[in-house]
PDB file of all heavy atoms in Angstrom:
ATOM      1  N   PHE V 250       5.084  -9.186  13.994  1.00  0.00           N
ATOM      2  CA  PHE V 250       6.255  -9.939  13.596  1.00  0.00           C
ATOM      3  C   PHE V 250       6.099 -10.574  12.251  1.00  0.00           C
ATOM      4  O   PHE V 250       6.972 -10.563  11.344  1.00  0.00           O
ATOM      5  CB  PHE V 250       6.549 -10.986  14.663  1.00  0.00           C
ATOM      6  CG  PHE V 250       7.733 -11.860  14.335  1.00  0.00           C
ATOM      7  CD1 PHE V 250       9.012 -11.538  14.682  1.00  0.00           C
ATOM      8  CD2 PHE V 250       7.563 -13.063  13.621  1.00  0.00           C
ATOM      9  CE1 PHE V 250      10.081 -12.367  14.385  1.00  0.00           C
ATOM     10  CE2 PHE V 250       8.615 -13.875  13.197  1.00  0.00           C
ATOM     11  CZ  PHE V 250       9.893 -13.529  13.617  1.00  0.00           C
ATOM     12  N   LEU V 251       4.952 -11.266  12.032  1.00  0.00           N
ATOM     13  CA  LEU V 251       4.674 -11.933  10.790  1.00  0.00           C
ATOM     14  C   LEU V 251       4.628 -10.914   9.645  1.00  0.00           C
ATOM     15  O   LEU V 251       5.194 -11.198   8.568  1.00  0.00           O
ATOM     16  CB  LEU V 251       3.376 -12.667  10.887  1.00  0.00           C
ATOM     17  CG  LEU V 251       3.339 -13.950  11.734  1.00  0.00           C
ATOM     18  CD1 LEU V 251       1.914 -14.488  11.936  1.00  0.00           C
ATOM     19  CD2 LEU V 251       4.226 -15.044  11.116  1.00  0.00           C
ATOM     20  N   ALA V 252       3.968  -9.807   9.863  1.00  0.00           N
ATOM     21  CA  ALA V 252       3.885  -8.792   8.803  1.00  0.00           C
ATOM     22  C   ALA V 252       5.237  -8.291   8.401  1.00  0.00           C
ATOM     23  O   ALA V 252       5.547  -8.113   7.218  1.00  0.00           O
ATOM     24  CB  ALA V 252       2.977  -7.670   9.267  1.00  0.00           C
ATOM     25  N   SER V 253       6.107  -8.059   9.392  1.00  0.00           N
ATOM     26  CA  SER V 253       7.504  -7.585   9.094  1.00  0.00           C
ATOM     27  C   SER V 253       8.259  -8.722   8.314  1.00  0.00           C
ATOM     28  O   SER V 253       8.981  -8.405   7.412  1.00  0.00           O
ATOM     29  CB  SER V 253       8.228  -7.285  10.404  1.00  0.00           C
ATOM     30  OG  SER V 253       7.613  -6.149  11.080  1.00  0.00           O
ATOM     31  N   ALA V 254       8.052  -9.934   8.772  1.00  0.00           N
ATOM     32  CA  ALA V 254       8.757 -11.057   8.126  1.00  0.00           C
ATOM     33  C   ALA V 254       8.315 -11.176   6.656  1.00  0.00           C
ATOM     34  O   ALA V 254       9.088 -11.624   5.794  1.00  0.00           O
ATOM     35  CB  ALA V 254       8.497 -12.360   8.839  1.00  0.00           C
ATOM     36  N   TYR V 255       7.064 -10.861   6.373  1.00  0.00           N
ATOM     37  CA  TYR V 255       6.582 -10.957   4.983  1.00  0.00           C
ATOM     38  C   TYR V 255       6.962  -9.727   4.135  1.00  0.00           C
ATOM     39  O   TYR V 255       6.647  -9.623   2.971  1.00  0.00           O
ATOM     40  CB  TYR V 255       5.072 -11.055   4.954  1.00  0.00           C
ATOM     41  CG  TYR V 255       4.553 -12.453   5.409  1.00  0.00           C
ATOM     42  CD1 TYR V 255       3.497 -12.603   6.267  1.00  0.00           C
ATOM     43  CD2 TYR V 255       5.185 -13.587   4.930  1.00  0.00           C
ATOM     44  CE1 TYR V 255       3.002 -13.863   6.635  1.00  0.00           C
ATOM     45  CE2 TYR V 255       4.774 -14.860   5.320  1.00  0.00           C
ATOM     46  CZ  TYR V 255       3.650 -14.974   6.157  1.00  0.00           C
ATOM     47  OH  TYR V 255       3.224 -16.238   6.537  1.00  0.00           O
ATOM     48  N   GLY V 256       7.726  -8.781   4.761  1.00  0.00           N
ATOM     49  CA  GLY V 256       8.218  -7.648   4.013  1.00  0.00           C
ATOM     50  C   GLY V 256       7.252  -6.533   3.783  1.00  0.00           C
ATOM     51  O   GLY V 256       7.443  -5.691   2.893  1.00  0.00           O
ATOM     52  N   TYR V 257       6.157  -6.453   4.620  1.00  0.00           N
ATOM     53  CA  TYR V 257       5.224  -5.382   4.433  1.00  0.00           C
ATOM     54  C   TYR V 257       5.852  -4.046   4.893  1.00  0.00           C
ATOM     55  O   TYR V 257       6.821  -4.048   5.724  1.00  0.00           O
ATOM     56  CB  TYR V 257       3.958  -5.620   5.265  1.00  0.00           C
ATOM     57  CG  TYR V 257       3.078  -6.713   4.727  1.00  0.00           C
ATOM     58  CD1 TYR V 257       2.763  -7.811   5.481  1.00  0.00           C
ATOM     59  CD2 TYR V 257       2.582  -6.649   3.429  1.00  0.00           C
ATOM     60  CE1 TYR V 257       1.907  -8.819   4.987  1.00  0.00           C
ATOM     61  CE2 TYR V 257       1.776  -7.650   2.904  1.00  0.00           C
ATOM     62  CZ  TYR V 257       1.448  -8.771   3.681  1.00  0.00           C
ATOM     63  OH  TYR V 257       0.685  -9.734   3.167  1.00  0.00           O
ATOM     64  N   SER V 258       5.331  -2.944   4.387  1.00  0.00           N
ATOM     65  CA  SER V 258       5.817  -1.636   4.729  1.00  0.00           C
ATOM     66  C   SER V 258       5.567  -1.334   6.231  1.00  0.00           C
ATOM     67  O   SER V 258       4.751  -2.025   6.877  1.00  0.00           O
ATOM     68  CB  SER V 258       5.073  -0.550   3.913  1.00  0.00           C
ATOM     69  OG  SER V 258       3.686  -0.499   4.292  1.00  0.00           O
ATOM     70  N   GLU V 259       6.268  -0.345   6.736  1.00  0.00           N
ATOM     71  CA  GLU V 259       6.111   0.020   8.110  1.00  0.00           C
ATOM     72  C   GLU V 259       4.698   0.396   8.455  1.00  0.00           C
ATOM     73  O   GLU V 259       4.184   0.046   9.532  1.00  0.00           O
ATOM     74  CB  GLU V 259       7.075   1.188   8.489  1.00  0.00           C
ATOM     75  CG  GLU V 259       7.041   1.569   9.955  1.00  0.00           C
ATOM     76  CD  GLU V 259       8.013   2.709  10.239  1.00  0.00           C
ATOM     77  OE1 GLU V 259       8.859   3.012   9.343  1.00  0.00           O
ATOM     78  OE2 GLU V 259       7.967   3.295  11.341  1.00  0.00           O
ATOM     79  N   ASP V 260       4.081   1.132   7.530  1.00  0.00           N
ATOM     80  CA  ASP V 260       2.618   1.508   7.744  1.00  0.00           C
ATOM     81  C   ASP V 260       1.757   0.294   7.847  1.00  0.00           C
ATOM     82  O   ASP V 260       0.917   0.186   8.756  1.00  0.00           O
ATOM     83  CB  ASP V 260       2.124   2.397   6.604  1.00  0.00           C
ATOM     84  CG  ASP V 260       2.493   3.845   6.809  1.00  0.00           C
ATOM     85  OD1 ASP V 260       3.002   4.211   7.918  1.00  0.00           O
ATOM     86  OD2 ASP V 260       2.256   4.652   5.925  1.00  0.00           O
ATOM     87  N   LYS V 261       1.934  -0.668   6.923  1.00  0.00           N
ATOM     88  CA  LYS V 261       1.058  -1.796   6.918  1.00  0.00           C
ATOM     89  C   LYS V 261       1.282  -2.705   8.103  1.00  0.00           C
ATOM     90  O   LYS V 261       0.359  -3.291   8.692  1.00  0.00           O
ATOM     91  CB  LYS V 261       1.199  -2.636   5.646  1.00  0.00           C
ATOM     92  CG  LYS V 261       0.039  -3.599   5.394  1.00  0.00           C
ATOM     93  CD  LYS V 261      -0.107  -3.981   3.962  1.00  0.00           C
ATOM     94  CE  LYS V 261      -1.425  -4.739   3.729  1.00  0.00           C
ATOM     95  NZ  LYS V 261      -1.604  -5.159   2.330  1.00  0.00           N
ATOM     96  N   VAL V 262       2.552  -2.812   8.599  1.00  0.00           N
ATOM     97  CA  VAL V 262       2.840  -3.498   9.855  1.00  0.00           C
ATOM     98  C   VAL V 262       2.065  -2.841  10.989  1.00  0.00           C
ATOM     99  O   VAL V 262       1.481  -3.504  11.866  1.00  0.00           O
ATOM    100  CB  VAL V 262       4.323  -3.486  10.171  1.00  0.00           C
ATOM    101  CG1 VAL V 262       4.592  -4.006  11.566  1.00  0.00           C
ATOM    102  CG2 VAL V 262       5.082  -4.348   9.135  1.00  0.00           C
ATOM    103  N   GLY V 263       1.940  -1.486  10.956  1.00  0.00           N
ATOM    104  CA  GLY V 263       1.173  -0.792  11.988  1.00  0.00           C
ATOM    105  C   GLY V 263      -0.264  -1.105  11.899  1.00  0.00           C
ATOM    106  O   GLY V 263      -0.957  -1.285  12.943  1.00  0.00           O
TER     107      GLY V 263
END
Side-chain angles (χ1 to χ4, degrees):
F250 176 90
L251 288 170
S253 295
Y255 286 138
Y257 288 124
S258 68
E259 183 178 350
D260 274 354
K261 199 159 188 179
V262 171

